[in-house]
Amino acid sequence: MNRMKWNDSWILADSTANPLMALVGGGQTSGTRVTLPHDAMIYEAKTKATRNAHQTGFYPGNVYSYSKKFMVPREWEDKTVTIEFEGVYMNARVYINEDYAGGHPHGYTNFYVCADDFLKYGEENEIKVIANNSAELNSRWYSGSGIYRNVNIMVGDYLHIKADGVRITTPEIDASAASIVVDATIENQGKHRRAVEVHTQILDGEGRVVAADQYPVTFFGGKTATSHQRILLEAPKLWDCENPYLYTCQVRLVEQGEVIDEETSTFGIRKLTLDAKNGLRINGKEVKLRGACIHHDNGIIGACTLERAEERRCQQLKAAGFNSIRSAHHPMSRAMIEACDREGMLVLDELSDVWTRSKNHNDYAQSFPDYWEYDIEQLVAKDFNHPSVIMYITGNEIQEAGTPKGAEMNRLIADKIRSLDSTRYITNAFNGMLAVMDRMGEILSGITGKSPEELFAAQAAGGEASDAGSDILNGMMGMLMGPMADAMATSPVMNRAIDEFLASMDVAGYNYLTGRHAIDHELNPNRVVLGTETFPADIVRLWKLVKENSHVIGDMTWTGYDYLGEAGIGIFYYDGRMGFSANWPSSVAYIGDIDIIGYRRPISYYRQIVFGLRKDPYISVDRVNRYGEKPSATPWMWKDDIASWTWKGYEGKPAIVNVYADAEEVELFLNGESLGRKPAGEDHNYMAVYETVYQPGELVAVSYQDEKQTGSCKLVSASDQVELSVNADRDEIKADGADLSYVLVSLVDESGNQNLQACKKVSVSVEGAGTLLGFGSANPETESGYQELTWDTYDGYVLAVIRSGKKAGEIKATFTAEGCEPKVVTIKSVK
């Protein structure tokens, strides 16, 4: 059965109303009409009072009740009706005409509700969905709330193709031909047997039929069966990261010449191989994973999962040099996976952040033991036909990983996945420190030669008393990075924990165990290694290990895109506060290569240079206004630098300029005067650092290889007089109620030079055939909400997200700021 979006005309009950009253005859007193997907949490006022604190960016949870009235025609009496919820956070309960119809506790697993037993035909019906996110401390990051992904309805014949029932594999592939195997699960909910024909067509990217097959089959009443077809496709076009070619498969059930059901799926033809000698290969070519871990939120619109939002994020990550993303730490949305298929982005899809041991008081560990098999079934069914998905991750930093029962659970999960999908690889994001925490004394004793008692006594006697939380945090940091971390990573105790737990994995996934990446081949020559989560600042060392070791197939940095929640993990606090703490009003992690409005930070260009994907040098400047100050530090930080040479009021003050380049040498010029040549390239961490004084004007970096110029980069000081510059990423969008235009507002001088130092209060108004979905900046510390109509620019920028309505027409967005001419952008919304 093909999906039809069912996102219109929902009512969200006022938060002050009791969502249960409508189920006991009390009625729904008031509410707001919303179009799904809808993240209810982003509309909550941030508060110091929430127990979630910095974990969700000070956004509280609540109980949310959605309802929708709909007519059910008489013709549906001879049909089956299924409703899919792609994502409801969390503890979803679905009621149809006041009767409980289904639900699921996990906020990231899609689930289905069969409506047949509850519908009133020829009448108006009502569906209600309750999302209960009121038990705070259930997520370590910003989760969002409510029905934040699509709702779909499927209406089909009693004899129909099961939802997600078409599975396509390509077991034989060469240049001349490929075998396309199409297995379709067919359900006959009726009493009688029915003779039909299964018609299957393969269409190319231009919509032409390039292969087909059909055969007769009888389906008996009350039974489920699988049709199996092996179809020859000549001269196949293969899918890979550079050429993500997609085919379409149409499966139809035809009875007496009439199509009674059909299912359409896109797929790609590609061959995966993996071994410790040749690494990961796609279609015979080695691929190193230039990876980014990402959470699921879309910045200033929260967890609202619209296709264009996911597509934009995927495109930006690809443009920044990444070729793979890890969904951390939950199943990825359909919209993102479909975008990855189109863009040629590889996907590692993850099952869960917890199994049986909680990381938060009310997290999914309460339900995982009862639902893990269902969650796997839904994960695999969602991913199966998507060529971008190459690997499943069984869990993230599982605390029980170092125990025999943890190893058994990992085997059970892996066995379950393989029983459903043997075409992809499996890993686990293993955090060694968490797995062996109870044996840390033994490990440290082995490294230092001192007994646990001596270590404890030395710790108790050392230094002046200070804040206990800071001591704990600093201690953990010391264990996560540097020589101590490497020694821990290769200790015999760690070896024992890893060997049993990862024995059932195709790939050893290591979180912050860089010291193991190379040596693992000596300990286990059959093992393939992936850095499933690593520190951004360690990219030079990490990528060198990837390049020099065939068994190390890639690196996944934490993180590729900034996100809400885990607030302060990367914020540079200069006032004595520590990162990764409850620092009101911090709401953003502030560590992505790309910030929450889509701006590429300097580390993004640096990483691209390390990957070998950028030949021009890149200039960044440590914030001149912070020269000499020492901020708090966490291992996830890089530098507090921006690509700006505009620092009014700091003329003649010291300034540190970073030039990133893969060339042998770089030369820096300030207003035409050379500040000297310095070595760069891999031997010097792709970086040359200059200390100079700030003078307004032009800063130019030139790179040289073998005494020949290979590239250049320039920063120009902007004048004080700025105006608004407004740029919409798309000036025409679909009038489908879900399409988006991202409008970036910056401050520029009369010559068009961007001024990142200037700050203006920018206001927005939107009228016409669309609405304002979100508005804000990348400022990690603000009490402002993303529905407010006035925001201060941050580092020169602010972003508005415009959502289309269902009617065609023009959308006008007007931006104003004191001392600036208003700017208007017009967006066409078309059918």
Side-chain angles (χ1 to χ4, degrees), residues 258-520:
E258 178 186 355
V259 177
I260 60 171
D261 195 29
E262 65 179 292
E263 178 82 17
T264 301
S265 306
T266 58
F267 70 100
I269 301 173
R270 53 104 174 102
K271 183 178 181 180
L272 300 177
T273 59
L274 180 73
D275 62 68
K277 180 178 180 180
N278 299 293
L280 172 68
R281 289 182 290 177
I282 299 179
N283 304 327
K285 179 181 178 182
E286 185 182 22
V287 175
K288 295 291 191 178
L289 298 181
R290 306 188 301 269
C293 301
I294 59 169
H295 276 315
H296 71 304
D297 74 81
N298 278 298
I300 65 173
I301 65 172
C304 184
T305 306
L306 290 159
E307 281 80 358
R308 174 54 189 159
E310 300 286 67
E311 178 184 66
R312 174 179 179 263
R313 199 155 47 121
C314 179
Q315 290 172 340
Q316 290 175 320
L317 288 163
K318 189 76 183 290
F322 295 108
N323 67 1
S324 52
I325 55 178
R326 171 191 171 203
S327 181
H329 306 286
H330 45 70
M332 186 176 281
S333 71
R334 287 188 189 275
M336 179 58 89
I337 290 175
E338 289 168 0
C340 291
D341 285 347
R342 296 190 299 269
E343 300 298 327
M345 181 73 82
L346 303 173
V347 171
L348 288 72
D349 208 358
E350 194 158 318
L351 178 62
S352 182
D353 188 45
V354 291
W355 291 350
T356 62
R357 296 186 185 181
S358 290
K359 297 176 182 176
N360 255 323
H361 294 310
N362 296 301
D363 64 20
Y364 194 56
Q366 298 179 121
S367 301
F368 184 87
D370 298 321
Y371 289 95
W372 66 270
E373 291 191 88
Y374 177 84
D375 290 340
I376 290 173
E377 290 165 3
Q378 296 302 94
L379 173 72
V380 172
K382 169 178 65 70
D383 291 356
F384 195 90
N385 294 332
H386 294 283
S388 60
V389 182
I390 61 167
M391 200 176 303
Y392 299 109
I393 302 179
T394 60
N396 174 65
E397 298 183 344
I398 299 301
Q399 296 175 88
E400 54 266 47
T403 70
K405 290 300 289 185
E408 180 192 43
M409 189 76 237
N410 207 29
R411 289 195 299 272
L412 292 173
I413 292 172
D415 288 347
K416 178 70 175 181
I417 292 173
R418 291 191 180 103
S419 73
L420 300 169
D421 184 359
S422 61
T423 68
R424 292 177 172 88
Y425 306 116
I426 303 174
T427 188
N428 182 286
F430 179 89
N431 184 305
M433 190 175 72
L434 288 178
V436 298
M437 188 65 74
D438 58 336
R439 286 157 283 177
M440 195 60 69
E442 180 183 353
I443 292 175
L444 293 176
S445 294
I447 296 170
T448 64
K450 297 180 180 180
S451 69
E453 292 77 12
E454 289 175 310
L455 290 169
F456 180 78
Q459 182 185 35
E464 297 180 1
S466 62
D467 177 75
S470 298
D471 287 343
I472 293 171
L473 182 61
N474 288 329
M476 289 183 66
M477 288 178 190
M479 294 180 185
L480 284 171
M481 58 197 306
M484 178 65 78
D486 290 349
M488 286 175 53
T490 55
S491 75
V493 176
M494 190 72 73
N495 293 342
R496 291 194 296 272
I498 285 173
D499 286 345
E500 182 174 8
F501 185 76
L502 295 182
S504 57
M505 300 290 96
D506 300 304
V507 175
Y510 292 144
N511 286 16
Y512 311 113
L513 287 174
T514 306
R516 288 199 69 88
H517 290 196
I519 198 174
D520 234 25

Side-chain angles (χ1 to χ4, degrees), residues 593-716:
D593 279 28
I594 303 172
D595 71 20
I596 64 166
I597 66 170
Y599 179 79
R600 287 181 65 184
R601 293 182 172 131
I603 190 175
S604 175
Y605 295 93
Y606 180 61
R607 187 184 308 278
Q608 201 170 25
I609 287 168
V610 175
F611 283 157
L613 301 176
R614 179 185 170 95
K615 292 304 176 184
D616 282 324
Y618 188 82
I619 305 172
S620 78
V621 180
D622 289 5
R623 294 183 190 268
V624 178
N625 59 320
R626 294 295 188 183
Y627 181 86
E629 297 182 40
K630 185 176 181 180
S632 62
T634 75
W636 293 271
M637 289 177 168
W638 168 237
K639 291 173 176 283
D640 195 8
D641 59 347
I642 59 174
S644 175
W645 193 239
T646 303
W647 301 95
K648 182 184 177 183
Y650 292 89
E651 292 79 4
K653 301 291 186 182
I656 294 176
V657 179
N658 310 294
V659 181
Y660 308 135
D662 71 348
E664 291 175 346
E665 285 187 311
V666 296
E667 188 172 11
L668 186 65
F669 296 86
L670 176 56
N671 295 329
E673 180 181 345
S674 175
L675 301 184
R677 285 197 184 193
K678 291 194 175 187
E682 185 173 5
D683 290 343
H684 299 274
N685 291 329
Y686 302 95
M687 184 190 313
V689 179
Y690 291 80
E691 185 156 355
T692 183
V693 295
Y694 174 64
Q695 299 173 17
E698 187 175 82
L699 199 62
V700 177
V702 177
S703 57
Y704 302 94
Q705 188 74 28
D706 299 325
E707 295 300 323
K708 294 181 180 179
Q709 182 175 331
T710 59
S712 64
C713 181
K714 179 171 67 176
L715 294 178
V716 178

Side-chain angles (χ1 to χ4, degrees), residues 545-560:
L545 288 169
V546 172
K547 290 189 298 182
E548 293 180 351
N549 295 277
S550 60
H551 72 283
V552 182
I553 62 172
D555 172 73
M556 314 293 290
T557 190
W558 191 270
T559 175

Side-chain angles (χ1 to χ4, degrees), residues 178-191:
S179 296
I180 313 298
V181 175
V182 181
D183 293 305
T185 301
I186 316 295
E187 296 178 326
N188 186 354
Q189 294 180 206
K191 296 180 180 179

